[in-house]
């Protein structure tokens, strides 16, 4: 089963000829190439994407455009789409394929390093809808690292509804940031007047313009809608008072929608079902009559429709309004269109889209089937934010998806959020019991052992893993994983000889199973156990194999830490020369990984070594 990320269009969104020119903002954006970061931040409907697209269409500098989607909360998706976006102006960057062991920061650093070598003139990289990354620790870490390590020739524009998690105070102090906020993006009276003249093909009393600007507070999306020919009573209502700008949007959009020809109105409602659509999708999947003609009409009338990544897209506020209208007016059609879309996306292996469409029409069993089928694979690929989102979307129905719940419990355990991990494990256990799924129940018990091991409840971990360590070896290596947990818990309890026996057996099973990541962890634990028992030669052999495995897996940080452990082994064994060489290798590699904590561990280890060799000044320098 293929689980690849769909290829998406990375072109700059097209700017309609009817969009009002905003020279004061465009002039300000000319300073983009004088700053590392330009931040365009405001609530929905303030024309953030439009002004950035206008700038991009007029800029003399190469522009890469990247529209961030929900699925890019997972770093593998974010990283691959970053490369796809940059490929248009940095040919060959898509060939940059680091090993899966890289951390989020290392992936971002690899992009920055490639750009440092490949880019010889100023370029601009625009990321739109950056708010989707908020709350994803790995995605936010990727963005921070990318901004920090990009070369001076690469200038980033971030477009977001909320401030991204960046060290903005320090960057502003260094004069690295240009900002456009809600206040700067508001329409000025002269801009509204120009827009009104176009909409009404003539003069509009300046008093009405001033009242409109005052009441809508310069909100661009609401202003555009308000300038459509509206019923007199609604126009009077807007100008005389009433709810605030965002509360008016649906009212204004409803009046505008009613003014369209019936065929165009039906097209707008139906084509808003997918988040992004193409003419082919409208005609062949959604079965919209005369879709090519009505699509051209929608574009000609500037109905909040733009060309972007992966096809055509409505403004988010307008799409939500259209979906609400369709569900209210024609629930049967709403259901049928989402089912068609879901089945098409599932058949084309776009499972995240399929899941969303099934959930939109409450076809929970179909959504659960997708989640259960790919939960383990998505976890291995690093798509954990998607899995957590699916559990939240399923809500009370999540108990039907025990595999998904179990996988999310692993995610929460890795993040030290033990209360959430325990809650998901209880739900998964209940569901597996109802199914009489003994393998699933064993998996839950093993994860309980891992959780207790991680929070220091070693005796509980031993008890929970003991029965699982007796089961016959199977295709899922459950026995090997249980032996690894039991062995490490025994090591922590000081029962070293027992721990060695368990870890040796776990090592053999992991070798046969081919799970190199867990094999590396077993080698590390076994090496520590041999060291504590005084079997230094065996400890060294484990650590040397661990370093070799880490080299093959990729990831500068984990390799540097393994070299630190091996260096300490040589140091403890009295082989100071080999220890120094190993520490130096680790420092060289940690510089590529850009992890200051790992670098600090290695510097401290090397300082201890130089102190014991009698090089006190060098040791003091390293400590400092």
């Amino acid at each position: 089963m293929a689980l690849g990320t769909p290829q998406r269009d990375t072109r700059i969104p097209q700017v309609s000829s009817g969009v009002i020119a905003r020279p004061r903002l465009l002039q300000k954006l000319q300073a983009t190439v004088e700053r590392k970061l330009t931040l365009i931040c405001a609530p929905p409907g303030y024309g953030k994407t439009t002004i950035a697209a206008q700038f991009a269409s007029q800029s003399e500098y190469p522009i890469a455009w990247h529209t961030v989607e929900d699925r890019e909360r997972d770093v593998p998706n974010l990283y691959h789409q970053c490369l796809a976006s940059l490929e248009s102006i940095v040919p060959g960057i898509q060939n940059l394929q680091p090993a899966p062991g890289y951390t989020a920061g290392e992936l971002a650093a690899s992009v920055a390093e490639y750009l440092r070598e490949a880019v010889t003139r100023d370029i601009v990289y625009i990321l739109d809808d950056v708010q989707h990354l908020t709350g994803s620790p790995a995605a936010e870490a990727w963005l921070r690292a990318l901004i920090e390590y990009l070369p001076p020739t690469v200038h980033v524009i971030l477009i977001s509804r909320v401030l991204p998690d960046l060290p903005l105070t320090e960057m502003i102090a260094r004069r690295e940031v240009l900002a456009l906020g809600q206040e700067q993006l508001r329409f000025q009276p002269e801009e509204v007047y120009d827009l009104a003249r176009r909409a009404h093909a003539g003069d509009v009393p300046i008093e009405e313009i001033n009242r409109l600007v005052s009441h809508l507070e310069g909100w661009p999306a609401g202003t555009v809608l308000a300038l459509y020919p509206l019923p007199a009573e609604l126009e009077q209502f807007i100008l005389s008072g009433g709810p605030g700008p965002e509360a008016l949007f649906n009212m204004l959009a409803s009046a505008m929608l009613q003014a369209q020809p019936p065929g165009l109105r039906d097209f707008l409602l139906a084509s808003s079902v997918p988040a992004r659509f193409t003419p082919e999708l409208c005609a062949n999947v959604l079965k919209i009559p005369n879709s090519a003609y009505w699509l051209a009409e929608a574009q000609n009338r500037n109905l909040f429709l733009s060309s972007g990544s992966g096809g055509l897209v409505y403004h988010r506020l307008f799409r939500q309004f259209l979906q609400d209208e369709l569900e209210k007016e024609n629930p049967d059609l709403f259901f049928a269109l989402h089912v068609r879309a879901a089945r098409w996306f599932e058949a084309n292996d776009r499972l995240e889209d399929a899941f969303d469409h099934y959930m939109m029409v409450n076809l929970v069993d179909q959504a659960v089937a997708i989640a259960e089928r790919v939960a383990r694979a998505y976890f291995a690929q690093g798509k954990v934010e998607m899995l957590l989102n699916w559990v939240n979307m399923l809500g009370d129905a999540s108990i039907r998806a025990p595999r998904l719940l179990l996988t999310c419990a692993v995610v929460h355990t890795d993040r030290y959020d033990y209360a959430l991990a325990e809650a998901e494990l209880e739900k998964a256990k209940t569901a597996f019991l109802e199914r009489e799924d003994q393998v699933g129940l064993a998996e839950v018990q093993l994860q309980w052992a891992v959780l207790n091991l991680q929070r220091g409840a070693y005796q509980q971990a031993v008890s929970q893993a003991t029965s699982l360590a007796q089961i016959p070896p199977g295709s899922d290596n459950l026995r090997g994983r249980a032996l690894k947990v039991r062995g490490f818990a025994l090591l922590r309890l000081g029962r070293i000889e027992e721990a060695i026996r368990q870890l040796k057996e776990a090592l053999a099973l992991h070798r046969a199973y081919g799970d190199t990541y867990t094999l590396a962890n077993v080698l590390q634990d076994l090496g520590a156990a041999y060291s504590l028992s005084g079997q230094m030669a065996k400890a060294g052999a484990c650590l040397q194999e661990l370093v070799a495995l880490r080299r093959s897996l990729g990831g500068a940080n984990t390799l540097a830490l393994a070299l630190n452990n091996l260096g300490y082994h040589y140091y403890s064994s009295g082989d100071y020369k080999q220890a120094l060489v190993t520490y130096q290798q680790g420092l060289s590699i940690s510089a590529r990984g850009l992890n200051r904590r790992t670098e600090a561990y290695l510097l401290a280890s090397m300082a201890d070594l130089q102190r014991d060799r009698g090089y006190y000044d060098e040791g003091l320098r390293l400590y400092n």
Side-chain angles (χ1 to χ4, degrees), residues 200-405:
H200 294 277
D203 289 334
V204 178
I206 192 66
E207 296 81 10
E208 290 190 19
I209 294 297
N210 288 335
R211 284 200 301 259
L212 189 63
V213 171
S214 175
H215 187 65
L216 292 175
E217 300 175 348
W219 185 43
T223 304
V224 170
L225 280 172
L227 289 171
Y228 270 87
L230 301 174
E233 63 275 11
L234 180 55
E235 188 169 2
Q236 185 60 38
F237 177 72
I238 292 168
L239 295 174
S240 62
E246 291 199 36
L248 278 170
F249 187 90
N250 284 0
M251 185 186 306
L252 294 166
S254 179
M256 183 273 289
L257 185 63
Q258 295 302 326
Q260 307 305 321
L264 178 55
R265 186 176 180 281
D266 292 343
F267 172 82
L268 294 172
L269 293 170
S271 60
S272 68
V273 167
R276 283 173 170 76
F277 64 92
T278 61
E280 295 75 21
L281 188 66
C282 290
N284 302 328
V285 179
L286 301 178
K287 309 293 184 185
I288 303 174
N290 302 318
S291 58
Y293 172 78
W294 292 119
L295 174 57
E297 279 293 296
Q299 291 175 308
N300 290 337
R301 296 179 185 226
N302 301 322
L303 296 178
F304 291 93
L305 184 62
S306 61
S307 174
S309 301
L312 296 157
V313 57
Y314 289 111
H315 189 284
R316 290 178 183 274
L317 288 174
F318 190 50
R319 178 179 178 246
Q320 186 58 56
F321 160 75
L322 292 172
Q323 280 291 280
D324 291 342
E325 286 293 299
L326 178 60
E327 185 174 19
K328 180 174 62 179
E329 292 185 12
N330 194 337
D332 290 341
L333 181 60
F334 178 86
F335 180 89
L337 290 175
H338 276 287
V339 171
R340 288 179 202 166
R343 290 173 177 167
W344 186 84
F345 284 125
E346 187 171 9
N348 286 272
D349 202 34
R350 293 175 58 178
L351 301 180
E352 294 97 336
D353 292 310
F355 183 97
D356 289 344
H357 285 287
Y358 281 132
M359 290 301 296
M360 282 292 293
V361 290
N362 203 34
L363 291 177
V364 176
D365 288 342
Q366 288 85 337
V368 164
I370 289 175
E372 291 287 87
R373 194 165 82 234
V374 302
R376 186 171 291 180
Y378 273 25
F379 177 81
Q381 294 169 14
K383 298 180 180 179
V384 296
E385 292 292 337
M386 182 64 66
L387 300 177
L388 296 174
N389 183 51
W390 282 356
V391 165
N392 289 333
M393 289 177 68
L394 287 168
D396 293 339
S398 62
I399 201 167
R400 304 186 206 176
R403 286 275 163 209
L404 176 63
L405 289 165

Side-chain angles (χ1 to χ4, degrees), residues 26 46 127 139 236 279 330 524 570 577:
L26 292 171
Y46 271 85
L127 290 95
Q236 185 60 38
N330 194 337
Q524 183 166 307
Y570 289 131
K577 182 178 180 180

Side-chain angles (χ1 to χ4, degrees), residues 478-551:
L478 187 63
R479 181 181 179 183
R481 290 184 285 147
L483 285 165
K484 190 248 182 222
V485 171
R486 191 170 189 275
F488 187 78
L490 288 168
L491 182 63
R492 289 297 191 181
L493 289 169
R495 295 156 62 179
I496 297 172
E497 292 306 320
E498 285 183 82
I500 289 174
R501 287 196 296 273
Q502 299 289 293
L503 290 169
K504 283 177 65 178
E505 189 177 350
L507 186 66
L509 289 169
H510 280 86
R511 284 195 201 284
Y513 187 68
D515 182 352
T516 51
Y517 288 101
T518 311
L519 178 62
N521 292 331
V522 177
L523 283 166
Q524 183 166 307
D525 296 345
L526 185 56
Y530 279 137
S531 293
L532 289 171
S533 69
Q535 301 180 65
M536 303 308 290
K538 290 182 178 180
C542 286
L543 291 172
Q544 287 168 348
E545 185 179 353
L546 170 63
V547 167
L549 263 181
R550 290 298 186 197
R551 288 189 195 279

Side-chain angles (χ1 to χ4, degrees), residues 144-225:
R144 284 193 299 272
L146 182 72
I147 298 297
E148 181 177 356
Y149 299 121
L150 280 176
T153 51
V154 182
H155 310 276
V156 176
I157 297 178
L158 298 183
I159 306 170
S160 180
R161 297 183 186 180
V162 297
L163 284 173
D165 184 10
L166 296 171
L168 292 174
T169 303
E170 295 89 337
M171 295 183 72
I172 291 169
R174 295 193 297 264
R175 299 183 181 276
E176 294 178 335
V177 180
L178 171 68
L180 286 182
Q182 183 174 346
E183 194 60 39
Q184 290 84 13
L185 292 168
R186 295 183 196 278
F187 273 160
Q188 300 299 305
E190 60 272 18
E191 293 172 324
V192 179
Y193 187 73
D194 184 25
L195 199 62
R197 290 187 63 188
R198 296 190 201 178
H200 294 277
D203 289 334
V204 178
I206 192 66
E207 296 81 10
E208 290 190 19
I209 294 297
N210 288 335
R211 284 200 301 259
L212 189 63
V213 171
S214 175
H215 187 65
L216 292 175
E217 300 175 348
W219 185 43
T223 304
V224 170
L225 280 172

Side-chain angles (χ1 to χ4, degrees), residues 580-596:
L580 181 61
V581 170
T582 306
Y583 286 145
Q584 288 171 337
Q585 287 181 9
L587 277 173
S588 174
I589 289 165
S590 72
R592 295 206 308 266
L594 305 169
N595 187 309
R596 299 305 300 275

Side-chain angles (χ1 to χ4, degrees), residues 571 606-616 618-619 623:
Y571 166 49
M606 193 182 294
D608 289 344
L609 173 65
Q610 298 293 51
R611 177 201 63 202
D612 289 358
R613 295 176 70 202
Y615 299 120
Y616 300 116
E618 175 65 7
Y623 282 132

